[in-house]
Amino acid sequence: MSHEIRTPLTAILGFTDELIDEALRTRRAAGPDPALLTVKRNGQHLLAVVNDILDLSRIEAGKFSVASVACSPVQIVADVVALLQPRALEKQLRLETRFRGPIPEQIQSDPTRLHQILVNLVKNAIEAMPAGGEIQIANTGHVNRDGCLYTELCVRDTGPGIPQEFLADLFLPVRSTKGGGHQGLGLSIVHSLVKKSQGL
């Protein structure tokens, strides 16, 4: 089913990109047709929702593996910022990193899943933040009794926060929002991944 859903979506996005690039190459005064940009934006959103649903289905079915290999937390954070910086700028948000303490050059973790966790947390912050806000990927580092250096990564933002009445349902796959709408699957996936990896 994943290929049946994703293949046509990626084709739509690919041809949309070609039309947008053609408009930029020919230097049309008005730029790409706004309708094309709308198609691309909504196509990307739909593809992200489909990917989240498929990921959550694999997690719930026990078919989602988590590795443990040496990887660089600094590089993973840099990759996440590079990926989501354009989306943050589009919403007039600042996306920064701030390492407040020592951070290991390498850790034992699953780099793909750690990247996915940070992407979901930052995307959630971007979607919920009003223009002019700031999002940080920060760390705290400390040396344990065994002499090993540990680090904790977190995503902070200057948004209004989550109302108390929604905290109990925070990690449900679909949860209601104050405006009567719904937010997506990102936090539910993060919650499942962290539990599955025993805190990474």
Side-chain angles (χ1 to χ4, degrees):
M1 283 299 293
S2 63
H3 292 294
E4 296 292 332
I5 296 170
R6 284 193 286 205
T7 299
L9 271 174
T10 52
I12 290 168
L13 288 171
F15 282 113
T16 303
D17 280 335
E18 285 190 18
L19 292 170
I20 292 172
D21 289 342
E22 181 184 355
L24 295 173
R25 283 196 304 269
T26 56
R27 297 183 178 180
R28 295 179 189 170
D33 189 328
L36 284 176
L37 299 178
T38 300
V39 169
K40 180 178 180 178
R41 184 170 58 253
N42 285 279
Q44 288 173 329
H45 175 70
L46 182 56
L47 184 60
V49 170
V50 168
N51 287 334
D52 282 349
I53 291 171
L54 293 171
D55 282 347
L56 195 59
S57 297
R58 285 196 293 269
I59 291 170
E60 292 176 345
K63 297 179 179 179
F64 213 78
S65 60
V66 176
S68 179
V69 298
C71 55
S72 166
V74 173
Q75 185 59 56
I76 292 170
V77 169
D79 290 344
V80 171
V81 172
L83 177 68
L84 296 177
Q85 190 72 264
R87 187 179 299 192
L89 292 174
E90 186 180 338
K91 284 198 66 177
Q92 301 177 36
L93 301 172
R94 295 187 302 279
L95 174 57
E96 302 174 345
T97 59
R98 182 165 296 180
F99 297 132
R100 302 176 182 274
I103 186 166
E105 290 185 11
Q106 288 193 325
I107 58 174
Q108 288 294 127
S109 184
D110 186 323
T112 301
R113 304 307 172 212
L114 181 54
H115 182 275
Q116 187 175 12
I117 287 170
L118 291 174
V119 164
N120 275 299
L121 290 174
V122 174
K123 280 171 59 178
N124 191 72
I126 290 173
E127 290 168 6
M129 286 274 290
E134 180 178 332
I135 302 165
Q136 288 183 1
I137 303 179
N139 85 307
T140 55
H142 64 275
V143 177
N144 207 355
R145 291 179 181 176
D146 57 8
C148 294
L149 177 61
Y150 292 83
T151 192
E152 177 181 295
L153 294 173
C154 63
V155 176
R156 299 189 177 104
D157 64 63
T158 57
I162 301 170
Q164 184 71 30
E165 62 267 29
F166 296 128
L167 292 180
D169 299 331
L170 191 60
F171 298 117
L172 293 181
V174 179
R175 61 192 185 282
S176 298
T177 62
K178 194 171 183 178
H182 292 86
Q183 292 187 356
L185 307 173
L187 290 183
S188 179
I189 290 173
V190 167
H191 187 242
S192 298
L193 284 176
V194 171
K195 284 177 62 180
K196 189 171 181 63
S197 60
Q198 297 181 342
L200 287 175

